Amino acid sequence: MHLYSISTPSSKVPKTNQIRKSFVTVLWIVFFLFAFDLSINFLFPYPLDPRVTSPGQLNLYFEYGRSVEGKLVRMIGATDELSAPIADAGWLDPEDGKESNNPRNPAPGEDLLVAIYGMSFSNDVGEAMKKIDAKIGLRLVAAPAAPPNHSFAAYNLDRGKQQAKVAILGILASSVKAIRTTSGLTWNFEAPAPYTYPRYFVADGKLKAIWPKVSSLAQLRAVMQDKQQWQEFVSQIRENDQFFDSLLFQRNWLDNSAIVRMIRRAYAQRHQAMMANKIYSSAGFNAEIDIPVLSAIVKDFAATTRADGKLPIVLLISDRGYENHLFEALSPTLEQAAIPYVNTHNIAPATDIRNFVDDGHFSESANKLIAKAVLKLINSHFDRRDVLKQ
């Protein structure tokens, strides 16, 4: 009789059975993920027509993570009329006739033309000015969430093309982070806008620019059809745009997977937050990174506007989450050069949610208060009775 018991083979699960069970489990996981992926694409397809602007909440949610190139392919149609509305917005070199509705001179009954360079925020203020004072004419040059370099480039390209006596440069606090970008394609991944603009930098004490290879929708459409030209365009963005990331930008077959799109979206949010945090934090803007360039832009804008015999106004727009940090960053420049400005935070504080509507823009009442402040500043520099004689 043996003193020690001997376990039988049946008391242990053979390793081969464990491996088999693990393999089967993995196969089921893969199957259900594949089924989930197919179901999402089937149940919530994104419309093929780029002109559809309201595809449905879930359809849009599962589209957010598509690559930038993938979104561009869907966005840009064979003609402007067959392209997404946003595809045509903000270009610095619009095709002939695109500015026919933007006045170059005061209309009958108006005594002063005001040119405003910025984004929807500055446009809203301009339109509120017009409601208060019907004798004000507006020339609005804007782009979706335009960064300061776009607005400044638009101003420079517009010099000498109109008879505005006042030039307003709108600077949106949340768009300052894009001052080291060259296109709306990179820094707003979920809803990119294809318009381009130069990247400015200071060298030898002077403001210089790197201009994009593409400056109109027509050029972009042509470049997208030429592989070599497209690679050159992407290479320029890669070299000069701080937000560029090839994993987010480049299109491949993984765009077809809803799961990959969700993973890419999460990665994009992390990447863009990391880049934005280099420029801005709860303590304010990083004075060593982009503020020197922004200050140079503001000084150049004011100096050239004055040289043209016009009144420069810098409109500092503090949107939600940015407190009064934009003014704090630029106040030394504004004061040193005696540049007229309006700071929205002093009028409609960014810390008061009552000043904003659901989409993040100012409320109608806030725009009215800001518009009154701008009009007061303009009228303090002009005898409106003499404007018609000029």
Side-chain angles (χ1 to χ4, degrees):
M1 182 177 180
H2 295 285
L3 296 176
Y4 302 100
S5 62
I6 300 175
S7 59
T8 62
S10 60
S11 65
K12 290 185 177 181
V13 178
K15 288 186 177 180
T16 54
N17 288 346
Q18 292 179 351
I19 294 173
R20 186 181 298 111
K21 287 184 177 181
S22 298
F23 181 70
V24 171
T25 300
V26 170
L27 285 179
W28 276 112
I29 291 174
V30 171
F31 171 78
F32 282 115
L33 286 175
F34 183 70
F36 173 78
D37 210 305
L38 288 178
S39 300
I40 291 298
N41 286 327
F42 177 76
L43 294 173
F44 307 106
Y46 197 80
L48 296 177
D49 188 344
R51 295 169 296 181
V52 176
T53 56
S54 299
Q57 187 173 357
L58 286 176
N59 306 69
L60 186 59
Y61 174 83
F62 289 112
E63 177 69 10
Y64 281 138
R66 187 174 296 277
S67 67
V68 172
E69 288 182 339
K71 289 171 184 171
L72 263 183
V73 169
R74 287 193 168 187
M75 188 187 305
I76 310 299
T79 65
D80 292 1
E81 292 73 22
L82 296 177
S83 299
I86 196 172
D88 201 25
W91 290 100
L92 291 173
D93 184 22
E95 293 80 53
D96 291 342
K98 289 292 178 67
E99 282 201 335
S100 58
N101 295 323
N102 214 3
R104 299 177 183 273
N105 300 283
E110 297 174 347
D111 64 9
L112 187 70
L113 181 64
V114 178
I116 303 178
Y117 307 92
M119 68 306 296
S120 56
F121 281 87
S122 53
N123 281 1
D124 289 345
V125 172
E127 289 165 1
M129 290 165 55
K130 182 69 175 178
K131 289 181 180 178
I132 297 171
D133 186 347
K135 289 189 176 182
I136 288 284
L138 298 176
R139 179 171 174 80
L140 304 176
V141 183
N149 33 336
H150 176 279
S151 302
F152 180 60
Y155 154 76
N156 275 315
L157 291 172
D158 203 41
R159 288 181 67 192
K161 296 181 180 179
Q162 34 73 20
Q163 299 301 314
K165 292 297 181 181
V166 180
I168 297 178
L169 183 70
I171 302 176
L172 183 64
S174 60
S175 293
V176 171
K177 63 178 177 285
I179 203 166
R180 285 191 293 159
T181 67
T182 60
S183 170
L185 289 172
T186 59
W187 59 282
N188 187 9
F189 173 76
E190 294 183 3
Y195 69 91
T196 61
Y197 42 82
R199 174 175 172 177
Y200 291 95
F201 60 98
V202 177
D204 299 325
K206 295 182 179 180
L207 194 63
K208 299 183 179 180
I210 299 172
W211 285 84
K213 292 179 177 294
V214 173
S215 58
S216 72
L217 179 56
Q219 289 180 6
L220 178 63
R221 184 178 291 111
V223 166
M224 288 176 65
Q225 302 303 316
D226 187 302
K227 185 176 181 180
Q228 181 177 346
Q229 290 187 47
W230 178 252
Q231 290 303 321
E232 291 175 357
F233 175 57
V234 173
S235 294
Q236 186 187 41
I237 297 177
R238 180 186 292 107
E239 293 171 6
N240 299 290
D241 196 311
Q242 66 171 345
F243 276 82
F244 181 88
D245 186 297
S246 59
L247 294 177
L248 302 177
F249 196 91
Q250 294 176 337
R251 180 191 184 199
N252 53 51
W253 63 273
L254 292 174
D255 269 350
N256 297 318
S257 168
I259 294 175
V260 171
R261 294 199 299 269
M262 288 190 290
I263 294 173
R264 187 191 282 127
R265 183 193 184 194
Y267 171 76
Q269 291 175 335
R270 181 177 179 276
H271 166 73
Q272 298 200 315
M274 179 180 66
M275 298 307 301
N277 289 340
K278 292 181 180 180
I279 301 162
Y280 179 82
S281 69
S282 59
F285 288 96
N286 188 329
E288 297 180 357
I289 296 184
D290 292 320
I291 297 305
V293 176
L294 183 57
S295 296
I297 285 175
V298 167
K299 287 191 290 186
D300 195 285
F301 162 73
T304 52
T305 302
R306 285 167 170 161
D308 293 340
K310 302 179 180 184
L311 172 66
I313 296 177
V314 176
L315 178 60
L316 303 173
I317 306 169
S318 295
D319 46 340
R320 284 188 296 187
Y322 285 84
E323 302 185 20
N324 198 31
H325 292 145
L326 181 58
F327 172 74
E328 292 171 359
L330 285 177
S331 58
T333 299
L334 296 170
E335 293 171 2
Q336 181 182 15
I339 301 171
Y341 68 89
V342 170
N343 178 17
T344 66
H345 187 75
N346 291 340
I347 304 164
T351 50
D352 188 344
I353 60 173
R354 294 173 297 180
N355 290 320
F356 302 90
V357 294
D358 291 341
D359 67 359
H361 287 83
F362 284 121
S363 65
E364 183 177 351
S365 58
N367 278 319
K368 186 176 181 179
L369 291 173
I370 298 167
K372 285 182 177 180
V374 177
L375 287 170
K376 182 178 180 181
L377 180 56
I378 291 173
N379 292 333
S380 70
H381 285 78
F382 286 95
D383 183 348
R384 300 285 289 283
R385 295 169 300 178
D386 294 335
V387 172
L388 287 174
K389 300 177 183 179
Q390 298 182 21

